[in-house]
């Protein structure tokens, strides 16, 4: 489903004119479509209908409470990576018993908190962590449910900062040694072996690496099931989305509604690649999608402040900065930039779209062909629903932007814009 489209010359999210959002709540503001998030969740859920499965939304992608609540109400579980995320999920009405707790560096406090709340499973990334969990569970006199994260050593072509499934990075336990760690786990009195987990990377745009990784761990799953009664296999997240759209030469529109499928590869092709190897395993399947559910469901709405013609280039300076959306600076990632007022016959020109932060890395586009943008007009930085707000900072003492959720023709602030007073809250003088 594609919730962002032009109607009557204005860019809308569902039935809401984005300029009405800017008028009511200012800019920069993240705007999310509830309908899109639920549609993506339901389509994935339906495609896997024949399997005993649980979709654990990766809360790190967008952990706004209203977004978590939407998914909790839709029936999702959650993949969490910190005590803070567990707290948010619970505050949003999610259940700990449907949460998997991942991450390479869980603290004793986080482990204890997750045990107290009763998470579904800890995804364990090292033997040292396993021992620590065993020790903390002993103090509570409980058995901690665990899955080991195996590194299947599969190459998934994506940005090097978000590829995780090869032997060269810090994640998981080598596929050659993981059986030995399971044996060690089976001897720990406060550990209960529950699953096997893997995650090969993020923004993967083909189904092949997923199927390949499942194929690689399938023999392990069978053996673990026989030996220890393994209950589940988590195949991680990583399904990619479409960030880049070519100018539609047919209609000449800068932004056009493709309708239908929003994934880089379709839910159907993903499902048909992964279902055959999973079907025969006879264990429950967990998935941890983040970006796929929320990425295309959000935009960062920003206003053009100044247009500056320098000697060699034209700069369009907007009121959002790299502190609000860091993906272009950090990963050279592409976000479409779309005027809220439909550009029509405006002439195209090549510009840099930059923010107000004092860094040359503070850009959203470089040398990009865009319709001529005018001072004061609104533009949307598209596909910013995942890893957008959650990676924001207060750099340059810029307050966090607001977040707005749209449902049909209605919208509401789901996180207020920070104030200057918020910026210094908790700071103390020491004289
Ligand atoms: N499971 C595990 C163990 C993960 O590490 C991740 C993401 C996910 C699931 C969810 O992945 P997704 O379905 O969203 O691809 N900040 C980067 C992405 C970092 C992803 C980290 N791990 C970005 O903006 O592209």
């Amino acid at each position: 489903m594609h919730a962002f489209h032009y109607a009557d010359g204005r860019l809308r999210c569902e039935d809401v004119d984005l300029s009405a959002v800017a008028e009511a709540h200012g800019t920069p503001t993240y705007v999310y479509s509830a309908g899109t998030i639920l549609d993506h969740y339901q389509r994935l859920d339906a495609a896997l209908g024949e399997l005993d499965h649980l979709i654990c939304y990766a809360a790190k992608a967008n952990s706004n409470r209203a977004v978590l609540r939407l998914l909790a109400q839709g029936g999702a579980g959650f993949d969490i990576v910190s005590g803070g995320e567990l707290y948010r999920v619970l505050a949003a009405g999610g259940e700990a018993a449907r949460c998997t707790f991942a991450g390479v560096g869980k603290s004793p406090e986080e482990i204890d908190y997750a045990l107290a709340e009763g998470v579904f499973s800890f995804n364990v990334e090292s033997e040292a962590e396993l021992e620590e969990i065993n020790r903390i569970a002993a103090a509570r006199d409980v058995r901690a449910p665990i899955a080991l994260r195996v590194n299947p050593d599969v190459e998934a072509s994506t940005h090097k900062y978000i590829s995780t499934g090869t032997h060269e990075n810090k994640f998981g336990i080598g596929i050659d040694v993981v059986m030995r760690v399971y044996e060690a786990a089976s001897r720990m009195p406060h550990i209960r072996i529950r699953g096997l987990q893997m995650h090969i990377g993020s923004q993967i745009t083909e189904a092949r690496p997923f199927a390949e990784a499942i194929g690689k761990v399938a023999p392990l799953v069978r053996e673990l099931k026989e030996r220890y009664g393994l209950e589940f296999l988590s195949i991680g997240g990583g399904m990619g989305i479409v960030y880049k759209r070519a100018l539609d030469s047919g209609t000449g529109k800068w932004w056009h509604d493709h309708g239908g499928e929003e994934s880089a590869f379709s839910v159907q092709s993903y499902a048909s690649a992964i279902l055959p190897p999973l079907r025969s395993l006879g264990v429950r399947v967990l998935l941890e999608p983040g970006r796929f559910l929320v990425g295309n469901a959000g935009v960062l709405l920003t206003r053009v402040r100044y247009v500056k013609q320098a000697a060699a280039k034209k700069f369009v300076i907007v009121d959002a900065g790299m502190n609000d959306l860091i993906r272009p600076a950090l990963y050279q990632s592409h976000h479409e930039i779309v005027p809220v007022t439909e550009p029509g016959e405006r002439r195209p020109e090549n510009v840099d779209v930059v923010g107000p932060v004092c860094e040359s890395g503070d850009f959203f586009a470089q040398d990009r062909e865009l319709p001529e943008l005018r001072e004061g007009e609104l533009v949307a930085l598209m596909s910013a629903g995942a890893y957008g707000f959650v990676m924001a900072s207060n750099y340059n003492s810029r307050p966090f932007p607001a977040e707005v959720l749209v449902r049909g023709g209605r919208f509401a602030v789901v996180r207020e814009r920070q104030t200057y007073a918020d910026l210094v809250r908790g700071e103390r003088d020491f004289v």
Side-chain angles (χ1 to χ4, degrees):
M1 185 178 129
H2 184 357
F4 295 91
H5 59 277
Y6 284 117
D8 303 327
R10 296 283 181 170
L11 189 64
R12 289 173 189 245
C13 172
E14 301 192 21
D15 299 324
V16 169
D17 178 344
L18 287 177
S19 52
V21 176
E23 210 162 283
H25 303 296
T27 53
T29 292
Y30 277 95
V31 185
Y32 311 126
S33 154
T36 307
I37 296 172
L38 282 177
D39 175 69
H40 290 174
Y41 172 77
Q42 285 158 358
R43 275 199 292 127
L44 185 58
D45 199 36
L48 302 169
E50 63 171 274
L51 283 183
D52 176 12
H53 71 277
L54 176 63
I55 298 176
C56 294
Y57 165 60
K60 67 169 85 66
N62 183 330
S63 56
N64 183 285
R65 228 166 76 170
V67 170
L68 298 179
R69 182 177 291 274
L70 202 63
L71 286 162
Q73 286 172 346
F78 297 91
D79 169 43
I80 55 171
V81 290
S82 67
E85 283 189 355
L86 176 55
Y87 183 86
R88 280 181 176 281
V89 165
L90 297 175
E95 290 169 49
R98 291 164 86 77
C99 286
T100 52
F101 188 6
V104 295
K106 302 174 189 76
S107 73
E109 295 76 18
E110 287 177 320
I111 294 169
D112 195 53
Y113 177 35
L115 279 174
E117 295 295 341
V119 294
F120 179 74
S121 177
F122 289 87
N123 292 341
V124 178
E125 305 232 10
S126 65
E127 211 166 338
E129 185 195 332
L130 193 60
E131 282 160 12
E132 180 78 340
I133 295 174
N134 183 52
R135 192 181 61 73
I136 296 168
R140 286 194 165 268
D141 198 22
V142 293
R143 283 179 88 122
I146 64 103
L148 295 185
R149 173 166 176 183
V150 65
N151 189 331
D153 203 9
V154 165
E155 192 68 57
S157 44
T158 182
H159 193 280
K160 66 177 187 302
Y161 285 4
I162 52 179
S163 152
T164 58
T166 72
H167 63 279
E168 280 178 6
N169 61 57
K170 71 176 178 182
F171 298 103
I173 299 172
I175 196 159
D176 44 336
V177 296
V178 74
M179 216 51 186
R180 191 186 54 69
V181 185
Y182 270 109
E183 269 161 35
S186 73
R187 289 192 295 272
M188 295 184 189
H190 293 280
I191 294 291
R192 171 180 161 212
I193 294 173
R194 196 159 200 187
L196 176 73
Q197 198 269 349
M198 65 178 171
H199 171 75
I200 55 175
S202 199
Q203 185 54 16
I204 297 167
T205 51
E206 46 174 357
R208 181 197 50 80
F210 294 102
E212 197 183 310
I214 295 167
K216 262 184 128 168
V217 301
L220 265 176
V221 172
R222 289 201 179 87
E223 197 174 336
L224 290 167
K225 194 179 164 198
E226 206 173 292
R227 280 207 207 171
Y228 308 117
L230 193 90
E231 295 168 45
F232 76 86
L233 166 65
S234 168
I235 60 170
M239 295 170 70
I241 62 167
V242 176
Y243 280 103
K244 208 167 188 169
R245 287 158 189 279
L247 172 66
D248 187 337
S249 50
T251 63
K253 281 189 179 176
W254 289 93
W255 179 256
H256 48 95
D257 190 347
H258 285 248
E261 199 56 67
E262 261 300 298
S263 175
F265 55 101
S266 73
V267 172
Q268 283 324 323
S269 66
Y270 175 71
S272 51
I274 66 166
L275 281 173
L278 288 173
R279 214 175 267 139
S280 61
L281 288 178
V283 293
R284 190 169 197 205
V285 174
L286 267 57
L287 294 90
E288 304 167 355
R291 190 189 321 262
F292 174 76
L293 298 183
V294 295
N296 283 328
V299 302
L300 177 55
L301 187 59
T302 179
R303 198 179 282 283
V304 177
R305 243 182 223 162
Y306 304 109
V307 176
K308 172 174 168 176
Q309 181 66 64
K313 277 186 167 189
K314 193 165 182 179
F315 292 96
V316 175
I317 304 165
V318 297
D319 66 3
M322 66 188 287
N323 69 295
D324 302 303
L325 177 65
I326 202 173
R327 301 192 71 260
L330 198 55
Y331 313 117
Q332 298 81 46
S333 62
H334 181 100
H335 290 263
E336 293 291 342
I337 299 177
V338 177
V340 169
T341 300
E342 194 168 12
E345 300 302 304
R346 273 193 244 176
R347 71 187 171 85
E349 55 182 10
N350 280 37
V351 295
D352 280 20
V353 178
V354 301
V357 170
C358 302
E359 297 257 358
S360 305
D362 183 24
F363 60 83
F364 295 114
Q366 289 180 306
D367 202 22
R368 174 132 11 132
E369 190 179 67
L370 290 173
E372 186 179 17
L373 295 173
R374 303 168 188 140
E375 288 180 4
E377 82 167 284
L378 292 165
V379 297
L381 305 176
M382 306 304 290
S383 307
Y387 308 107
F389 184 93
V390 287
M391 294 179 81
S393 78
N394 286 132
Y395 187 41
N396 277 206
S397 285
R398 289 169 46 83
F400 284 143
E403 292 176 285
V404 161
L405 187 67
V406 172
R407 284 170 174 266
R410 298 179 305 132
F411 62 96
V413 170
V414 291
R415 179 176 176 125
E416 287 173 20
R417 183 180 309 287
Q418 272 190 331
T419 63
Y420 289 156
D422 292 330
L423 289 179
V424 294
R425 183 157 298 129
E427 292 183 25
R428 300 277 181 274
D429 293 330
F430 181 52
V431 286

